[in-house]
Each structure stands twice: as structure tokens, then as C-alpha cells.
Amino acid sequence: MFISKLAPIYMTGLIASVLASPLETLAVHTEGQALAKRAEGIHLVNCRTYSLVVYCSNDSNCNFFPSDANKCVPTKGILTWEIPNGLCAFNTGESFHWNIRSNAQSQENYSVVGSGNNNERGFVIRKDDKHVMFTDPNNGEQCSSIYYAV
């Protein structure tokens, strides 16, 4: 009886705290696993023969080959992402700058390894687990997320 009287009070407080939290901007991590990435995000991606910077307006729905406006090729071939002052310019006029520590690949998955920014705001860069994000429909190459910025 006592618990049933407290449940509505507890639920009201829980709902209020959830609504007050900016869930869209959080990347939730627990026990080394990424549970969700729910925000605008940028992935630094390696395919078999080339690298891409991929912009995702909703990072929790970003596992498909990007449109021309949402991808940028920073260099020919595979890029080593662990550099200061990395830059890629999208054909929309947007650009993404990044700084990733030289030892970033030796860090745990999902740990903070650098920072980045576009024309609007700053991003925290985390090491990703190299999961396959998409397959390039033009050549069949699988493309994996090496780092992500949210």
C-alpha cells in the first residue's frame, strides 16, 4: 500500500527529470558499450580504399550510404585520422575540423580522444568500435566508423 501511494510521486519526478535533460545531445555509454547516439553527429569513416567524413543529422539513424551533401572526402586513399588540425570541406560550404590524439587507437572504445568543430559548434570526438556503417553501392566496399563526434 505504501509503495503504491509513492509510485505516482516517483514517476512524476522521474518524468520531470527526463524532460529536463537534453537527451538529444547525450551519447549514453555503460560498461564500454554505446547504447545510443542521439544527436547531430559526424563519423570519420574508413572504407577499404578511401576515407570519408560523414555528417548525420540524427546520429541514431546513420547506417546508410550518405548523400553527396552529407559526405566529404578528405584525401585520396585511406586517411590516418590521428592528426591535429584535420580538415574536410563539404560541397555545401560546411567544413569539419578535428584534432585527434596520436595514441587514440590504443584507447578504449567510446573514450574521448579529441575534439572537433564545424561552422556552428564544437564536438567531442570518441573512438568508435569500427562497426560497419554502410556498404558503398558504387563499389561494394564496407565502410566502418573509426571515430564519431557528437
Side-chain angles (χ1 to χ4, degrees):
M1 186 74 159
F2 180 72
I3 293 174
S4 64
K5 288 182 180 181
L6 288 180
I9 295 169
Y10 173 77
M11 291 304 292
T12 301
L14 178 63
I15 291 168
S17 68
V18 167
L19 292 175
S21 300
L23 292 177
E24 302 81 35
T25 62
L26 295 178
V28 179
H29 303 275
T30 181
E31 298 179 18
Q33 297 297 317
L35 298 178
K37 299 175 198 168
R38 300 175 194 233
E40 170 184 54
I42 296 173
H43 286 260
L44 307 181
V45 175
N46 283 348
C47 304
R48 188 172 50 83
T49 61
Y50 66 95
S51 296
L52 287 174
V53 176
V54 177
Y55 170 77
C56 306
S57 60
N58 176 357
D59 196 55
S60 65
N61 182 26
C62 193
N63 291 326
F64 51 87
F65 190 72
S67 68
D68 286 343
N70 291 333
K71 67 182 175 187
C72 171
V73 180
T75 186
K76 286 188 178 237
I78 299 292
L79 179 69
T80 301
W81 299 105
E82 299 82 8
I83 57 174
N85 305 315
L87 169 66
C88 200
F90 291 78
N91 64 13
T92 60
E94 185 71 58
S95 61
F96 184 68
H97 302 262
W98 68 89
N99 294 293
I100 297 177
R101 296 192 318 241
S102 61
N103 69 345
Q105 277 301 300
S106 66
Q107 304 304 308
E108 293 288 325
N109 287 345
Y110 318 116
S111 61
V112 174
V113 294
S115 62
N117 62 44
N118 63 9
N119 298 354
E120 285 78 39
R121 69 178 188 90
F123 291 83
V124 172
I125 297 178
R126 295 180 179 270
K127 179 184 174 198
D128 213 342
D129 60 7
K130 299 182 183 175
H131 67 278
V132 174
M133 284 186 66
F134 52 82
T135 300
D136 185 326
N138 302 308
N139 61 20
E141 291 186 29
Q142 290 189 325
C143 301
S144 301
S145 179
I146 309 303
Y147 297 102
Y148 66 95
V150 290

